Amino acid sequence: MSRLAGGVVLVTAQEPPLDPDGPGGEDAGMTATSFMSVSLDPPLVLVSVRTGSRMDDLLEEQPLWAVSVLAEGQRQIAGRFAMRGRLSDRLLFQDVPHRRGAITGAPLIDGSLATLECRTHQRVPTGDHTLVIGLVLETGLPHPEAAPLSYFRGRYRHLA
Ligand SMILES: Cc1cc2nc3c(=O)[nH]c(=O)nc-3n(C[C@H](O)[C@H](O)[C@H](O)COP(=O)(O)O)c2cc1C
């Protein structure tokens, strides 16, 4: 699979509020390459999330999440959100410019090529990962012409 070149996305979500009328909790993000389109009508996408990871735990209770398709200049962001045993989520997002998705409340990363806001349609536990299939509720193209961040043979690459 390391010979399959792919794009890199950041999957994000905000912890649901403790009190239904209260503010949302901390934001979380996970770097992923296992993101793909599944269906056009209805519009469905899929990401495979490692069972027991922070994002897996969060997406079990939070059906609303977002995806930012990272640009070539965002490899530091990708690296930061791929670390295990990391710092508090609050610190991770501190100096990463983003806005909040209008529908999901999830962080959408500034400077990304495209953004999608999703609601979980189906969860399929499979092996040591869970396939999280999302219905796309909203899309954005903040920087459609930017070069994509690519990943191939264990390294971030320039698309050439
Ligand atoms: C390029 C790249 C792609 C990744 N793709 C995935 C993925 O598709 N699914 C996944 O669960 N983890 C993926 N990871 C690993 C997660 O980013 C990482 O394990 C997670 O953010 C750490 O959180 P945790 O400590 O809760 O596991 C990827 C890492 C990198 C560097």
Side-chain angles (χ1 to χ4, degrees):
M1 293 305 290
S2 68
R3 267 60 177 177
L4 178 66
V8 183
V9 303
L10 191 68
V11 180
T12 55
Q14 185 183 30
E15 281 176 354
L18 291 174
D19 156 7
D21 299 322
E26 281 202 347
D27 296 317
M30 185 192 84
T31 300
T33 47
S34 65
F35 181 68
M36 63 180 285
S37 156
V38 172
S39 158
L40 286 176
D41 186 15
L44 300 174
V45 292
L46 175 156
V47 62
S48 177
V49 181
R50 188 175 62 82
T51 309
S53 64
R54 164 92 170 103
M55 189 52 67
D56 181 52
D57 290 347
L58 178 51
L59 293 186
E60 236 178 323
E61 51 170 336
Q62 172 57 281
L64 297 172
W65 44 281
V67 170
S68 297
V69 179
L70 296 182
E72 195 173 65
Q74 296 182 308
R75 64 174 70 185
Q76 276 189 330
I77 296 176
R80 174 184 296 204
F81 287 92
M83 286 186 295
R84 284 210 185 162
R86 55 204 180 188
L87 304 168
S88 136
D89 292 314
R90 202 183 309 276
L91 293 177
L92 281 176
F93 278 97
Q94 209 168 42
D95 54 353
V96 175
H98 63 277
R99 63 187 183 84
R100 217 163 264 295
I103 297 177
T104 57
L108 303 176
I109 307 305
D110 290 355
S112 53
L113 277 76
T115 58
L116 301 94
E117 289 192 84
C118 304
R119 184 176 62 231
T120 299
H121 171 77
Q122 204 177 342
R123 288 172 55 85
V124 185
T126 311
D128 58 5
H129 279 58
T130 301
L131 306 181
V132 182
I133 299 170
L135 176 69
V136 180
L137 306 171
E138 186 64 276
T139 60
L141 285 172
H143 292 280
E145 307 300 334
L149 182 58
S150 310
Y151 196 73
F152 179 65
R153 291 186 65 178
R155 287 196 196 158
Y156 298 107
R157 307 276 178 171
H158 290 273
L159 190 69

